[in-house]
RNA sequence: GCUCCCAUAGUGUAGACCGGUCAAUCAUUCCGGCCUUUCGAGCCGGUGACACGGGUUCGAAUCCCGUUGGGAGCACCA
């Protein structure tokens, strides 16, 4: 007979898997957003994963603004994005802006032409595309470099106007994947660029500028979403045309983020319309909104690190993020009473009631908040949540937390009867324990991510120990970030 | 339509490369219970998965083929 079944503890992988071909100290990675607005949850995955790997291998992390489409630039984004990254705890070593680099792109474009790897196309786009899909070359494709160079110069000097010519990077017209056949590398655009104004009119397109920059900046690993799978195939052609070493490409699965408003163009419009208070409106999925709700950025980092880089498409779980955040903040968040839909509760009492309520149930060293409740004409008037009063019902006993018990005599009139201060009673009758405030407490509004505005009263004295913007917990309500500068308000993070 | 990527509980994730120790890990959700002067935190327990069909093999979550299902791209956007 054998002994008890031996349970073999398998090594549980923690953290991110190793990066293929990564050498300690020599990894170079980048985060390359388009400056069309501030960062949102989706961006945070790319930023954090790249950052984690750079930290893991003591590598270099590059921030690159991809602003080669003058139509989709929000000048504020050049400032907002670094701020978002700072909040996330993502440190970048170098910053580049693509609109500073036209000369580089033009130079490489010329190299591509000379290598016979690019041609200037003046054919109508529709025709070019359908020929491509049929695997056929437009006539200009086979012209020699000298002719192409002449046309290229005409693109630069303004002979061709917008839409009349573009520089196409050759791939393989017979490629099995129609999405990979010849792609446009440079186009003419007359719209002024927010940074370079009208100094340049020939703009590189995504696949060309990315390949050029990733190579020149020495990126060893390109970690990005699966939606770039076909772009990778296109970009690899640029590398091969110019005989550059290929970096390692890694594609993680797509994330679908439920119940989230992420689209910058839509958000901007609704901010302009006054439907959102700004980029940090708590209903949004921007990082600014998460910050405004009091999230610890570590929660996002933990979340994405655990999610990893598998190429499966996944669903983002707010519940899981909330759980991660809760474990980070619970220990620090002071407790306070906030009564939503405050409803009066009156009961007769001869003396003065005193409450000493801990700021944190597990951290007595944080001290207590004291409240003294004196009766008027023998009657004490407090407010409790309407919902609790209604649901408790006549004849039941409720515990006013850290104060006393009250037997409800007439719920509709809010009349009760003092029922002692002994806590144990409430356990015996399984009554509910509710938060309460004095009737003349300060009004406060809680803004929830669902778009609700919960009006209620908050216990006085909260500003004595809490600073503007602190994260607290309203007992039985949820974790909130509170603000005192423009009236009393709070942003709900989660329950 | 063509091409590419993918498939472990409700949601994520480990295991897969190198088949056996998998009676399948962990987290979260959900459901119980304990504890607690919050519906928070903490503690204990439970439900719950290898998409399907073949093949290889003594043995398949793991290797191969097919099917089904999901996703992406086929832009003068990034």
């Amino acid at each position: 007979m054998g002994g008890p079944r031996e349970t073999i503890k398998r090594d549980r992988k923690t953290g991110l898997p190793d990066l293929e071909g990564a050498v300690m100290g020599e990894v170079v990675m980048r985060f390359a957003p388009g400056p069309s607005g501030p960062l949102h949850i989706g961006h945070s995955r790319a930023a954090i994963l790249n950052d984690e790997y750079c930290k893991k291998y003591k590598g270099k992390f590059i921030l690159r603004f991809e602003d080669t489409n003058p139509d989709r630039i929000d000048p504020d984004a050049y400032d907002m994005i670094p701020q978002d990254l700072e909040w996330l705890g993502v440190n970048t070593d170098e910053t580049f802006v693509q609109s500073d680099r036209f000369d580089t792109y033009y130079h490489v474009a010329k190299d591509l032409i000379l290598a016979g790897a690019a041609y200037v196309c003046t054919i109508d786009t529709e025709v070019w595309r359908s020929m491509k899909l049929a695997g056929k070359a437009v006539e200009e494709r086979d012209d020699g470099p000298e002719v192409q160079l002449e046309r290229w110069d005409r693109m630069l000097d303004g002979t061709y106007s917008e839409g009349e010519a573009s520089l196409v990077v050759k791939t393989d017209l017979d490629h099995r994947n129609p999405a990979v056949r010849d792609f446009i590398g440079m186009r003419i655009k007359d719209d002024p660029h927010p940074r370079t104004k009208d100094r340049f009119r020939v703009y590189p397109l995504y696949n060309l500028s990315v390949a050029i920059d990733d190579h020149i900046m020495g990126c060893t690993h390109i970690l990005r979403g699966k939606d770039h799978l076909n772009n990778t195939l296109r970009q690899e052609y640029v590398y091969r045309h110019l005989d550059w070493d290929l970096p390692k490409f890694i594609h993680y699965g797509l994330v679908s983020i439920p119940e989230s408003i992420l689209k910058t163009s839509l958000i901007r419009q609704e901010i302009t319309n006054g439907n959102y208070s700004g980029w940090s409106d708590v209903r949004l999925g921007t990082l600014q909104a998460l910050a405004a709700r009091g999230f610890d950025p570590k929660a996002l980092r933990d979340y994405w690190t655990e999610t990893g880089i598998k190429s499966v498409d996944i669903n983002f779980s707010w519940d899981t993020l909330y759980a991660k955040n809760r474990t980070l903040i619970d220990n620090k968040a002071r407790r306070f009473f906030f009564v939503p839909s405050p409803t009066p509760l009156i009961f007769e009492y001869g003396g003065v009631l005193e409450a000493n309520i801990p700021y944190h149930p597990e951290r007595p060293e944080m001290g207590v908040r004291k409240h003294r409740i004196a009766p008027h004409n023998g009657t004490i008037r407090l407010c409790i949540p309407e919902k609790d009063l209604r649901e408790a019902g006549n004849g039941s006993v409720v515990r006013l937390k850290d104060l006393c018990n009250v037997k409800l005599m007439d719920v509709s009139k809010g009349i009760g009867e003092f029922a002692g201060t002994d806590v144990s009673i409430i356990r015996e009758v399984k009554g509910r324990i509710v938060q309460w405030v004095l009737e003349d407490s300060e009004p406060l509004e809680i803004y929830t991510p669902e778009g609700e505005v919960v009006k209620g009263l908050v216990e006085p004295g909260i500003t004595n120990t809490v600073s503007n913007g602190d994260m607290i917990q309203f007992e039985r309500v949820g974790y909130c970030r509170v603000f005192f500068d423009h009236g009393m308000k709070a942003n709900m993070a989660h329950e």
Side-chain angles (χ1 to χ4, degrees):
Chain A
M1 61 174 261
R5 188 186 197 83
E6 194 178 346
T7 51
I8 294 157
K9 195 95 179 175
R10 288 167 166 275
D11 285 344
R12 215 188 49 188
K13 280 264 176 64
T14 47
L16 292 167
D18 291 336
L19 260 195
E20 191 193 337
V23 177
M24 187 60 73
E26 289 175 20
V27 166
V28 180
M29 297 179 80
R30 46 71 162 182
F31 175 61
S36 56
L39 266 25
H40 58 64
I41 305 173
H43 294 113
S44 74
R45 184 179 190 189
I48 285 171
L49 287 178
N50 278 287
D51 184 46
E52 279 292 314
Y53 275 118
C54 284
K55 288 192 166 96
K56 177 170 177 167
Y57 292 106
K58 303 191 191 310
K60 182 164 83 171
F61 195 21
I62 291 167
L63 168 63
R64 189 173 70 220
F65 290 101
E66 307 210 318
D67 58 348
T68 54
N69 179 3
D71 292 345
R72 261 185 28 180
I73 294 170
D74 176 355
D76 292 340
Y78 295 98
D79 295 321
M80 289 194 288
I81 289 172
Q83 285 165 16
D84 286 338
L85 290 176
E86 194 185 342
W87 177 75
L88 271 181
V90 167
N91 306 308
T92 51
D93 301 298
E94 282 183 65
T95 301
F96 294 96
V97 182
Q98 288 193 319
S99 55
D100 288 339
R101 305 169 56 75
F102 282 89
D103 292 341
T104 303
Y105 305 131
Y106 291 169
H107 185 81
V108 176
K110 205 166 174 177
D111 287 346
L112 280 168
I113 292 168
L114 289 170
Y119 59 100
V120 173
C121 179
T122 60
I123 309 291
D124 177 72
T125 313
E126 293 303 321
V127 176
W128 173 77
R129 192 182 350 224
S130 56
M131 285 184 74
K132 185 174 79 160
L133 290 176
K136 295 195 191 106
V138 297
E139 213 174 304
E140 295 166 316
R141 190 179 195 268
D142 299 321
D143 291 335
E146 302 77 23
V147 183
Q148 305 295 0
L149 234 33
E150 265 174 49
R151 296 197 187 113
W152 169 240
D153 283 337
R154 271 181 262 157
M155 275 180 75
L156 293 174
D157 69 18
T159 311
Y160 290 123
S161 51
E162 187 173 323
E164 279 185 350
S166 58
L167 183 77
V168 179
V169 176
K170 291 184 189 173
T171 63
D172 184 352
L173 287 175
D174 298 324
H175 200 286
R176 292 160 54 76
N177 186 348
V180 180
R181 297 176 195 158
D182 285 16
F183 64 90
I184 311 260
M186 294 268 191
R187 64 163 171 177
I188 299 167
K189 193 91 184 147
D190 286 322
D191 297 359
H193 188 286
R195 291 183 79 253
T196 58
K197 310 301 177 201
D198 54 4
R199 270 194 290 144
F200 303 94
R201 58 193 296 277
V202 176
Y203 289 88
L205 257 18
Y206 181 76
N207 281 299
L208 183 58
S209 55
V210 163
I212 293 171
D213 281 344
D214 284 344
H215 172 256
I216 292 179
M217 294 172 191
C219 296
T220 57
H221 298 262
I222 313 296
L223 175 57
R224 59 187 174 191
K226 230 167 65 172
D227 48 330
H228 287 293
L229 239 19
N230 283 329
N231 287 327
T232 296
L233 296 175
R234 290 188 269 245
Q235 289 162 28
E236 283 175 343
Y237 273 92
V238 177
Y239 281 80
R240 285 195 289 262
H241 284 319
L242 298 168
D243 206 23
W244 294 341
D245 288 335
L246 286 168
K248 298 280 182 216
F249 292 97
I250 306 114
H251 303 95
Y252 53 76
L254 268 21
V255 195
S256 85
I257 304 174
E259 295 141 20
S260 290
I261 300 155
L262 305 172
K263 204 153 191 321
T264 46
S265 54
L266 180 78
I267 297 172
R268 182 176 295 107
Q269 188 187 327
E270 294 301 312
I271 291 174
T272 311
N273 294 347
N275 294 329
Y276 293 132
S277 59
W279 292 109
S280 62
D281 191 297
V282 293
R283 290 167 289 185
L284 303 177
T286 57
L287 297 186
Q288 290 186 31
L290 294 187
R293 287 164 64 186
F295 276 83
D296 185 330
K298 179 83 165 32
L300 275 171
R301 186 170 290 264
D302 292 348
Y303 185 92
W304 291 127
T305 305
E306 263 174 47
T307 301
I309 55 168
K310 288 210 313 185
S311 55
V312 226
D313 298 335
I314 58 165
N315 294 305
F316 181 84
S317 165
W318 284 103
D319 277 343
T320 305
L321 183 69
Y322 290 168
K324 297 209 171 303
N325 196 53
R326 213 178 277 125
T327 64
L328 291 167
I329 60 170
D330 181 74
N331 197 251
K332 303 174 202 159
R334 286 171 193 271
R335 267 58 169 176
F336 290 95
F337 288 166
F338 167 80
V339 175
S341 304
T343 308
L345 176 62
I346 309 158
F347 57 93
E348 290 184 4
Y349 187 67
V352 171
L353 285 169
E354 285 186 20
N356 295 306
I357 317 173
Y359 280 116
H360 196 291
E362 279 91 41
R363 299 187 60 187
E365 76 277 11
M366 279 188 169
V368 297
R369 49 213 212 259
K370 296 173 191 272
H371 295 291
R372 201 181 125 88
I373 297 102
H376 287 289
N377 304 324
T379 302
I380 283 179
R381 295 178 67 93
L382 297 170
C383 284
I384 68 169
E386 187 275 333
K387 186 168 178 280
D388 286 310
L389 187 67
R390 176 165 39 83
E391 289 178 356
N394 286 334
S396 64
V397 179
V398 298
R399 171 74 180 178
L400 302 179
K401 189 170 182 287
D402 299 295
L403 187 69
C404 69
N405 309 318
V406 176
K407 185 172 185 181
L408 301 179
M409 306 309 288
D410 186 341
V411 166
S412 62
K413 290 178 182 153
I415 295 171
E417 191 176 278
F418 180 77
T421 54
D422 185 1
V423 198
S424 58
I425 292 170
I426 209 70
R427 296 254 179 252
E428 285 161 28
V429 301
K430 292 197 188 303
R432 62 179 71 200
I433 298 168
V434 306
Q435 75 276 34
W436 51 272
V437 289
L438 288 158
E439 239 183 349
D440 56 354
S441 295
E442 292 205 60
L444 179 142
E445 289 180 343
I446 297 180
Y447 292 78
T448 74
E450 291 78 30
E452 287 175 83
V453 181
V454 182
K455 291 177 196 292
L457 297 173
V458 65
E459 63 178 280
I462 183 170
T463 49
N464 296 344
T465 47
V466 171
S467 306
N468 190 44
D470 274 2
M471 193 66 179
I472 56 100
Q473 189 213 54
F474 285 131
E475 296 193 43
R476 303 178 72 234
V477 176
Y479 296 89
C480 294
R481 195 170 170 211
V482 289
F483 298 92
F484 309 133
D485 41 1
H486 302 294
M488 302 274 278
K489 63 164 275 191
N491 291 333
M492 171 82 86
H494 47 75
E495 290 186 349

